[in-house]
């Protein structure tokens, strides 16, 4: 397969903060046939650089990076694009695309609204 997907989280030195991302990655990896990597922008491993290098070494030639962020702030407007540019220079045979953050996807908004409505005891309104 020549396509892979990288789930990109911010990163933290706290393993408890990272646990939900690892659980999400594990759950998705069993459901998807697409090669899937979890990476962190900073403060944690595997880094985005590590994930891209592993995909490239396995023969992946195109990877999309899906930020597990609610919105595109400074990191997604400046820091991550700079990382992606540097990664393209390091892996010129690999096409990398930075997707919009997951928080901007309509299905994410619907899922989050359902969770909030359930918490509020008003699940019937969603």
């Amino acid at each position: 397969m020549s396509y892979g997907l990288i789930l990109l989280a911010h990163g933290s030195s706290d393993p408890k903060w990272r646990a939900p991302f690892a659980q999400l990655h594990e759950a998705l990896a069993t459901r998807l046939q697409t090669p899937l990597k979890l990476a962190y922008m900073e403060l944690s491993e595997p880094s985005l650089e590590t994930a891209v290098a592993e995909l490239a070494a396995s023969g992946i030639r195109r990877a999309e990076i899906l930020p597990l962020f609610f919105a595109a702030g400074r990191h997604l407007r400046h820091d991550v694009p700079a990382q992606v540019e540097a990664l393209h220079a390091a892996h010129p045979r690999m096409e990398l695309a930075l997707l919009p953050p997951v928080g901007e996807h309509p299905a994410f908004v619907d899922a989050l609204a359902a969770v909030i409505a359930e918490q509020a005891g008003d699940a019937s309104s969603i």
Side-chain angles (χ1 to χ4, degrees), residues 19 34 56 60 66 72 78 89 96 103 109-110 113 119 121 125:
T34 300
I60 299 296
L66 178 60
H78 301 288
L96 295 169
V109 173
D110 291 343
Q119 184 65 37
S125 67

Side-chain angles (χ1 to χ4, degrees), residues 1-125:
M1 184 171 282
S2 64
Y3 168 77
L5 180 63
I6 300 170
L7 304 176
L8 180 67
H10 181 277
S12 171
S13 59
D14 183 347
K16 289 182 180 180
W17 180 92
R18 293 189 309 263
F21 295 98
Q23 292 166 353
L24 174 65
H25 175 251
E26 289 174 22
L28 290 173
T30 63
R31 297 177 189 179
L32 303 176
Q33 293 183 4
T34 300
L36 183 68
K37 294 285 185 182
L38 174 62
Y40 299 99
M41 188 197 82
E42 62 183 9
L43 305 173
S44 304
E45 283 294 330
S47 65
L48 182 56
E49 292 77 8
T50 298
V52 169
E54 289 175 356
L55 287 175
S58 70
I60 299 296
R61 294 291 163 240
R62 183 172 70 88
E64 292 181 322
I65 302 162
L66 178 60
L68 300 178
F69 289 61
F70 272 3
R74 181 183 55 84
H75 284 316
L76 291 183
R77 287 192 317 268
H78 301 288
D79 302 335
V80 176
Q83 283 181 290
V84 171
E85 188 175 315
L87 286 165
H88 181 68
H91 303 278
R93 296 182 61 211
M94 188 171 203
E95 178 186 339
L96 295 169
L98 180 59
L99 300 173
V102 70
E104 293 180 5
H105 193 284
F108 180 83
V109 173
D110 291 343
L112 187 58
V115 169
I116 292 168
E118 180 181 315
Q119 184 65 37
D122 197 11
S124 63
S125 67

